[in-house]
Amino acid sequence: MHSSAGHSLILALPLLVTAGFILFSLLERRRLGALAPVSFWRRNGIAISTYLVVAVGLWTVIMIVLPQLYMIDLSLRPKLPPNQVGGPKDVYTLENYRYFLYGSTTSTAAWNTTHIKAFFLTIGASVLVTLLNFVLCYPLAFYMAQVTTRARVRIFMLLLITPYWVNEVLRAFAFRVLLGSQGVINTILLKLGLIDQPIDFLGLDVGLYAGLAYAYLLMMMFSLYNAIESLDRNQVEAARDLGAPWWYIHWSVVMPHAKPGIASGATLVFMLNAGALAAPLVLGGPRTLWFTPIVYDRFYQAFNWQQGAAYAFILLLACIVFVLLVLRLFRVGLGEIAR
Amino acid sequence: MTAALTAAITLDHVSVRFGDFTAVDDASLQIAPGEFFSFLGPSGCGKTTLLRTISGFVEPTQGRVLLDGRDMQGIGPNRRPTALIFQNLALFPMMSVADNIAYGLRVRGLSRRERNAKVESLLDLIALPDQGGKRVDELSGGQKQRVAIARALAVEPKVLLLDEPLSALDLKLRQHMRNELRAIQRRVGITFIYITHDQGEALTMSDRIAVMNRGVIEQIGDGRTIYEAPRTAFVASFVGENNAFIGRVVASEAGAAVVETSIGLLRGRNARGLVKGSEAVLFVRPEMLRPNPPADHQWIAGQVAEIAYEGSLTHVAFAAAGTGGLKLTMTLARGDTAAIPAAGTEAAIGYRAEDALVLPRETFGQD
């Protein structure tokens, strides 16, 4: 990607996005006919509409689309010394993606097991942490949304939010202090005589999972709370009146109603977990190789941005595919999540 | 005691308090099996609380609820032989019509075959055959209503509790559903308990009505008794139109009482045996008033203020002469309208003393 091409892209893309907007609104008008709501342009006026579209378009393009495009481009190029960039050797290649699967060309092993293992461990552990989050949050969310009073809900909200004023790295280290072999919990257990050897919580990855579960708890919490809050209490009572035991009410009435919220919470938590960096770096046991630190190392230890970009993309794509599959499995549309 | 054993529902001095607020105050009554029983009262009178107490969502603070002679204390709504139809119906929107109706059957562990057979017969009962596959939001208001009834009847309750289920419907549909509800009740033969603030609904559908006010059951009786022989001033004024004259009893003899009101002395039936000096309200129904009364009638002088023609009935607003500027309503059937004086003219109207009721005032007219 060279500067002149880059510049023209920055200028052209907002115009393209604007044109796309207009095209969509025309299409919508044609499809719905007289039923169409007042159009975006008519409602806001040409000047403000243009400003909004251009501003949002620029934002989207510069902050989201361009960097990603640049990273995709980067991931498809070989790592070269600066004086050879743009030279005859600077051609598109899948070398960086190949490396993820098979490792270095000089390696004797058939597969790049270290990285592949870390990759699947990351996905699997993220799924587990997401499930753990759901199990932790659902009862509290239901209690807050359906059972308790408004005043109590406010207190719960405060209690939930304030711990997150502490930054992520500090929270991760707090877990270390809590769970380390000379940590608070081990000390107490030793003093009480419940154990005679400190338990290696960090080595057993208890710290990692606890830290990850805690890090994105709120995402799950608020998604569930919002979804359950909109459930008509009479539905729960009607189910109860018809003889349903409590667990069946949750299974047949509350969860189906909250499905979009569950999906959006789970998607968020899963994505954030798979991409988490601080908790795995600080709390990961010695045998745990999380995928994100590997990506980080490509960039800053190996100084191989091309490979780092490729790794990041593998993770991103895998997560998107996985999430879409799960959504399909549970019959939730992408549109429902956004509600 | 034998009555308590045969009654479908017995309320035995039931009180429900929320903090300082008494929602239901010492309610006692018995409802026979197969009866269509209504609780009638203004919003906030405690009728919904009483219904929730019978269904088990609210535990009485005092007293007992017996269903089929069995004390229901500590038995949750999911284990009582009652089914509740909510004001907003509370159908499950993510399930089909058939799944809604089958919900209680699934909970009870019926096989798919049994469920399907039952659902089909219920769909026939509510005249929605072959609609089981539809989504709930594809139905009209009246159809949803009927699905809610079928869902409740599916679990074969001994008592069906209905919490103003018709209030969301438009007038025409509401009148149609009244008949339908009554017909369904006759067909299934179980006890219906119906909550409403609409006296028309209560009067047309019920075998008996309990009129409630401020947590207290003021009177229990069939529609005719409630309308023609109300026991309290509240019942007299809440059920049907009524002209009320507040005053004091100045003479009482042989079942009649004379009340001194702001427009003079009026005589009426002393149904509660009020003694001289009691604060009282004299009630005259609009249809008991007539223009140009004969000499043996109680006379009220004044002026015709307005005449509202309504087809079969004509309503006359009449301003009584005297202090207080009392406005009365007189309702005449179509055959009697010739005698109505023109609006604005001085006239006299009257009623027979035995058609008026003198009742204790209590708190009437104070709020």
Side-chain angles (χ1 to χ4, degrees):
Chain A
M1 175 104 39
H2 305 292
S3 55
S4 62
H7 286 166
S8 57
L9 205 74
I10 287 180
L11 290 174
L13 268 174
L15 294 177
L16 279 175
V17 172
T18 314
F21 249 101
I22 297 172
L23 202 73
F24 273 126
S25 77
L26 285 178
L27 256 171
E28 186 186 76
R29 195 104 51 89
R30 179 158 317 163
R31 285 238 328 257
L32 296 174
L35 289 170
V38 183
S39 86
F40 178 74
W41 301 94
R42 189 102 53 83
R43 201 173 35 204
N44 297 314
I46 293 291
I48 292 179
S49 304
T50 311
Y51 168 74
L52 283 175
V53 169
V54 171
V56 171
L58 271 176
W59 169 269
T60 314
V61 167
I62 293 179
M63 301 298 286
I64 301 169
V65 178
L66 277 183
Q68 301 290 340
L69 282 178
Y70 179 75
M71 292 301 273
I72 291 181
D73 182 75
L74 196 63
S75 76
L76 291 169
R77 289 173 187 277
K79 185 193 177 192
L80 293 170
N83 58 357
Q84 289 185 29
V85 171
K89 282 190 173 170
D90 197 355
V91 288
Y92 282 120
T93 166
L94 286 173
E95 166 55 28
N96 298 313
Y97 292 92
R98 197 202 69 86
Y99 191 96
F100 169 71
L101 288 178
Y102 305 112
S104 147
T105 39
T106 56
S107 124
T108 49
W111 297 89
N112 185 357
T113 39
T114 324
H115 289 179
I116 293 174
K117 238 174 80 184
F119 175 78
F120 283 107
L121 175 91
T122 302
I123 300 279
S126 296
V127 170
L128 279 181
V129 172
T130 307
L131 285 177
L132 179 66
N133 253 317
F134 175 74
V135 171
L136 286 174
C137 290
Y138 181 83
L140 185 58
F142 181 78
Y143 178 78
M144 280 170 61
Q146 290 282 324
V147 182
T148 194
T149 58
R150 285 219 165 271
R152 285 263 177 84
V153 168
R154 241 172 265 145
I155 294 173
F156 272 110
M157 287 286 182
L158 269 180
L159 287 176
L160 281 168
I161 291 168
T162 35
Y164 287 85
W165 291 352
V166 179
N167 77 58
E168 197 185 348
V169 178
L170 213 57
R171 259 185 283 135
F173 274 106
F175 268 104
R176 265 202 102 100
V177 172
L178 213 60
L179 297 169
S181 48
Q182 261 104 55
V184 180
I185 292 180
N186 269 320
T187 312
I188 291 175
L189 289 177
L190 283 169
K191 281 261 165 65
L192 288 174
L194 290 172
I195 51 174
D196 40 39
Q197 285 284 313
I199 300 171
D200 187 11
F201 288 117
L202 295 173
L204 293 168
D205 281 337
V206 173
L208 175 61
Y209 295 138
L212 282 173
Y214 188 60
Y216 307 111
L217 193 84
L218 283 193
M219 302 288 170
M220 184 64 90
M221 194 59 219
F222 289 140
S223 300
L224 290 183
Y225 173 77
N226 274 335
I228 300 176
E229 216 246 333
S230 64
L231 175 67
D232 172 14
R233 268 174 214 218
N234 283 353
Q235 301 247 321
V236 176
E237 291 198 339
R240 194 146 167 250
D241 190 59
L242 291 167
W246 65 268
W247 60 267
Y248 190 70
I249 297 175
H250 282 284
W251 176 250
S252 63
V253 176
V254 185
M255 284 191 197
H257 174 86
K259 206 162 74 172
I262 296 173
S264 77
T267 314
L268 273 172
V269 171
F270 171 75
M271 289 285 204
L272 288 169
N273 267 312
L277 185 61
L281 273 182
V282 177
L283 293 166
R287 287 182 305 277
T288 315
L289 207 49
W290 202 258
F291 197 64
T292 38
I294 294 175
V295 178
Y296 182 85
D297 281 350
R298 296 295 102 195
F299 279 103
Y300 290 108
Q301 302 292 309
F303 288 108
N304 191 340
W305 280 48
Q306 289 78 4
Q307 208 173 61
Y311 273 44
F313 261 100
I314 290 170
L315 185 62
L316 179 65
L317 277 179
C319 287
I320 291 176
V321 167
F322 182 79
V323 164
L324 289 179
L325 271 177
V326 172
L327 289 184
R328 171 61 68 85
L329 196 68
F330 286 96
R331 302 217 179 88
V332 189
L334 265 182
E336 283 178 88
I337 288 187
R339 255 189 296 169
Chain B
M1 205 52 221
T2 47
L5 284 174
T6 54
I9 293 183
T10 304
L11 300 184
D12 181 15
H13 297 287
V14 170
S15 293
V16 181
R17 279 185 278 277
F18 302 112
D20 289 339
F21 176 70
T22 302
V24 177
D25 191 3
D26 197 25
S28 288
L29 56 83
Q30 295 193 341
I31 299 170
E35 199 173 1
F36 198 119
F37 192 94
S38 292
F39 286 98
L40 173 65
S43 61
C45 72
K47 54 190 194 301
T48 297
T49 305
L50 199 48
L51 194 77
R52 292 172 63 79
T53 310
I54 295 171
S55 58
F57 287 107
V58 174
E59 279 288 325
T61 320
Q62 258 163 29
R64 298 183 307 157
V65 176
L66 287 86
L67 298 181
D68 266 344
R70 210 152 58 90
D71 193 339
M72 284 292 126
Q73 206 203 338
I75 297 179
N78 50 343
R79 294 193 295 132
R80 292 195 183 191
T82 58
L84 178 56
I85 294 180
F86 291 79
Q87 190 162 7
N88 66 354
L89 306 182
L91 293 172
F92 304 127
M94 54 281 182
M95 298 178 204
S96 68
V97 169
D99 284 344
N100 261 283
I101 297 175
Y103 189 86
L105 306 174
R106 191 183 288 263
V107 168
R108 280 161 179 74
L110 266 68
S111 73
R112 177 179 288 274
R113 267 229 339 267
E114 292 169 299
R115 289 203 306 260
N116 287 348
K118 186 101 199 217
V119 167
E120 226 152 276
S121 76
L122 280 163
L123 283 171
D124 282 340
L125 176 79
I126 59 169
L128 286 175
D130 308 323
Q131 311 268 307
K134 277 198 178 171
R135 285 214 323 269
V136 168
D137 53 16
E138 290 175 308
L139 302 179
S140 70
Q143 290 174 329
K144 281 184 195 161
Q145 197 80 54
R146 287 185 255 164
V147 172
I149 293 168
R151 184 180 71 175
L153 288 176
V155 299
E156 295 182 4
K158 297 222 165 71
V159 179
L160 190 68
L161 306 162
L162 304 101
D163 186 5
E164 306 212 26
L166 305 188
S167 55
L169 304 180
D170 60 53
L171 184 68
K172 260 265 151 53
L173 198 52
R174 206 153 63 213
Q175 276 163 350
H176 173 74
M177 282 306 294
R178 283 183 196 172
N179 299 334
E180 195 147 329
L181 266 179
R182 197 65 234 236
I184 288 175
Q185 195 254 346
R186 286 211 191 89
R187 232 171 307 160
V188 295
I190 62 170
T191 312
F192 274 39
I193 296 187
Y194 194 89
I195 293 283
T196 183
H197 65 268
D198 182 328
Q199 40 168 309
E201 274 174 22
L203 290 173
T204 50
M205 290 195 290
S206 324
D207 295 318
R208 283 195 302 154
I209 300 166
V211 183
M212 285 189 78
N213 184 33
R214 295 180 181 175
V216 176
I217 296 179
E218 299 246 341
Q219 185 171 3
I220 301 171
D222 59 24
R224 181 179 288 268
T225 310
I226 296 283
Y227 187 82
E228 294 181 9
R231 296 267 306 154
T232 66
F234 172 80
V235 176
S237 63
F238 185 76
V239 182
E241 290 292 307
N242 228 330
N243 295 300
F245 305 88
I246 297 171
R248 189 177 292 276
V249 177
V250 292
S252 77
E253 90 267 345
V258 179
V259 181
E260 184 177 26
T261 71
S262 61
I263 59 163
L265 296 178
L266 291 173
R267 180 184 287 267
R269 200 146 47 87
N270 191 1
R272 298 277 301 270
L274 295 179
V275 296
K276 187 178 161 184
S278 322
E279 288 205 67
V281 191
L282 183 136
F283 287 98
V284 187
R285 294 277 180 202
E287 66 272 20
M288 292 304 172
L289 287 167
R290 52 179 293 186
N292 312 317
D296 65 336
H297 276 45
Q298 300 291 302
W299 281 53
I300 299 165
Q303 200 177 32
V304 174
E306 211 177 318
I307 299 171
Y309 176 76
E310 202 196 83
S312 64
L313 295 175
T314 300
H315 303 283
V316 178
F318 188 83
T323 56
L326 261 176
K327 265 258 173 78
L328 312 184
T329 309
M330 172 169 68
T331 301
L332 298 168
R334 206 171 134 205
D336 306 328
T337 50
I340 302 176
T345 53
E346 298 289 328
I349 59 176
Y351 63 89
R352 293 189 310 169
E354 57 265 41
D355 289 334
L357 260 180
V358 179
L359 296 169
R361 180 174 175 192
E362 289 163 350
T363 59
F364 183 79
Q366 284 170 3
D367 45 21

